[in-house]
C-alpha cells in the first residue's frame, strides 16, 4: 500500500486548508508534520526540501510538492475531481480561482488588526453577496444539477462549500438570499467523506486565533 501523503505546514488553516479539504473529500488519509518554531522551517529551507523555501509542502507519490495550487491540481486530477475533459477542467479552473479570491479576502481578514476589520468585513460582505455567490447560485439554478460542473462531484464543489463555511463564520446570514446555495451546502456537506471531515475531531482546522497567528508569525518571521 502506498504511504499516506504527508503534509508540512503550521497547525493552522492558511494555504494548506484547502489541500486538507481536497484529500478528505477524496477519502484519502493523510499525516501532518506541523512546523512549531522558526528552526523547523529553516531546516527544511536549508536541506533543499522546499523548491522555493516555502510551505505548504506535501510528500506524495515519491514527490515533494510545493505551491498550493499545483498541489491541489495534482490531488484533484489523481482523484478524478477535475472534470472529464479540457472544457470542464477550464470551467472548474475559473470557478475555483474566483472562490480562491474570496477565500483569500477572508483569510486576510482573520489576521487583520481590530481597527481595520470593519472596512475589510464590508468588502467581504459586498464581494460574497454581489460578486461571487450570485454567480454560483445562477449556475446551479440554470442547469438544475446537483454539482457545479458536468453533473459530477468535483473540486469546485469542495472549494465552494469550504468558502461558504468561511463566509458564514464572518457573516452568518450570507446565504439568506441564495436558496439554491443553501440546498447545495446541505447536499455537499452530506457526502460521506465530507460529512466525516466536518465532524469534530477531524483534521479540519478552526478559524485562525490570535494565538495561532502569533505562532505563525514566529515560524515565518512575519513582522
Ligand atoms: O501558494 C503557495 O503555496 C505559494 N504561492 C505561497 C506559499 C507561502 O506564502 N508560504 C509561506 C507560508 S504562509 N503561507 O500561506 C512561507 O513558506 N513563507 C516562508 C518564506 O520564507 O517565504
Amino acid at each position: 500500500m502506498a504511504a499516506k501523503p504527508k503534509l508540512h505546514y503550521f497547525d493552522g488553516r492558511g494555504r494548506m486548508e484547502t489541500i486538507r479539504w481536497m484529500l478528505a473529500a477524496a477519502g484519502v488519509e493523510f499525516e501532518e508534520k506541523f512546523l512549531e518554531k522558526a528552526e523547523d522551517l529553516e531546516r527544511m529551507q536549508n536541506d533543499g526540501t522546499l523548491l522555493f523555501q516555502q510551505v505548504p509542502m506535501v510528500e506524495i507519490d515519491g514527490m515533494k510538492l510545493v505551491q498550493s495550487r499545483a498541489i491541489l491540481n495534482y490531488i484533484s486530477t489523481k482523484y478524478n475531481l477535475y472534470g472529464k475533459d479540457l472544457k470542464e477542467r477550464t470551467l472548474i479552473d475559473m470557478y475555483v480561482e474566483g472562490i480562491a479570491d474570496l477565500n483569500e479576502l477572508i483569510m486576510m481578514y482573520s489576521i487583520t488588526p481590530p481597527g481595520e476589520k470593519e472596512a475589510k468585513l464590508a468588502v467581504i460582505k459586498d464581494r460574497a453577496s454581489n460578486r461571487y455567490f450570485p454567480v454560483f447560485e445562477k449556475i446551479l439554478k440554470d442547469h438544475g444539477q446537483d454539482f457545479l460542473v458536468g453533473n459530477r462531484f468535483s473540486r469546485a464543489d469542495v472549494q465552494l462549500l469550504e468558502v461558504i463555511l468561511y463566509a458564514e463564520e464572518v457573516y452568518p446570514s450570507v446565504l439568506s438570499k441564495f436558496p439554491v446555495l443553501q440546498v447545495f451546502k446541505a447536499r455537499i456537506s452530506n457526502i460521506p467523506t465530507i460529512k466525516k471531515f466536518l465532524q469534530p475531531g477531524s483534521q479540519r482546522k478552526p478559524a485562525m486565533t490570535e494565538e495561532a497567528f502569533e505562532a505563525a508569525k514566529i515560524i515565518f518571521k512575519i513582522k
Side-chain angles (χ1 to χ4, degrees):
M1 208 180 86
K4 289 179 190 172
K6 190 167 177 183
L7 280 45
H8 299 260
Y9 200 61
F10 76 100
D11 187 3
R13 282 183 185 170
R15 295 186 197 286
M16 188 63 100
E17 189 67 358
T18 306
I19 296 168
R20 297 185 183 105
W21 266 87
M22 207 58 63
L23 287 167
V28 179
E29 289 183 15
F30 57 91
E31 292 173 5
E32 299 210 65
K33 176 90 178 116
F34 296 124
L35 304 173
E36 286 169 1
K37 43 192 190 310
E39 297 79 57
D40 295 336
L41 179 63
E42 280 165 13
R43 194 176 321 110
M44 293 174 82
Q45 289 173 326
N46 293 332
D47 71 10
T49 301
L50 305 173
L51 191 62
F52 300 116
Q53 279 77 52
Q54 290 181 317
V55 290
M57 191 273 274
V58 175
E59 292 183 70
I60 183 168
D61 297 335
M63 300 179 287
K64 290 183 168 63
L65 301 182
V66 295
Q67 288 294 355
S68 49
R69 283 173 160 85
I71 298 167
L72 284 167
N73 293 348
Y74 182 79
I75 294 166
S76 306
T77 305
K78 177 168 176 165
Y79 296 103
N80 291 319
L81 294 168
Y82 212 167
K84 69 168 176 354
D85 57 26
L86 183 59
K87 283 191 176 174
E88 281 194 3
R89 185 179 167 122
T90 303
L91 262 190
I92 291 173
D93 281 338
M94 291 199 297
Y95 298 170
V96 301
E97 288 300 325
I99 291 166
D101 288 345
L102 179 59
N103 193 349
E104 182 86 16
L105 282 179
I106 300 172
M107 186 165 38
M108 296 322 285
Y109 172 76
S110 74
I111 59 172
T112 297
E116 297 159 34
K117 271 193 175 290
E118 205 179 317
K120 286 242 165 88
L121 183 57
V123 174
I124 292 170
K125 286 183 175 181
D126 176 58
R127 293 291 155 79
S129 309
N130 300 319
R131 178 172 295 180
Y132 296 107
F133 289 169
V135 169
F136 298 113
E137 176 86 2
K138 183 171 188 315
I139 290 165
L140 289 163
K141 196 173 171 188
D142 285 355
H143 67 32
Q145 296 165 354
D146 285 355
F147 305 106
L148 281 169
V149 177
N151 210 9
R152 204 173 68 148
F153 182 49
S154 79
R155 65 178 290 186
D157 303 303
V158 179
Q159 291 185 242
L160 180 56
L161 175 64
E162 184 192 4
V163 86
I164 285 173
L165 298 183
Y166 296 157
E168 286 184 329
E169 283 176 358
V170 298
Y171 177 26
S173 63
V174 66
L175 287 193
S176 61
K177 295 199 177 75
F178 302 107
V180 180
L181 286 181
Q182 290 172 24
V183 174
F184 171 87
K185 176 190 160 190
R187 182 167 51 243
I188 304 301
S189 299
N190 262 311
I191 290 173
T193 53
I194 297 207
K195 194 171 180 177
K196 194 172 162 200
F197 190 60
L198 291 174
Q199 273 157 16
S202 81
Q203 285 161 295
R204 193 160 70 105
K205 298 291 167 216
M208 181 78 106
T209 58
E210 200 58 40
E211 217 176 22
F213 183 43
E214 289 309 313
K217 273 162 71 176
I218 293 169
I219 296 166
F220 298 114
K221 302 194 176 102
I222 299 167
K223 305 243 163 38

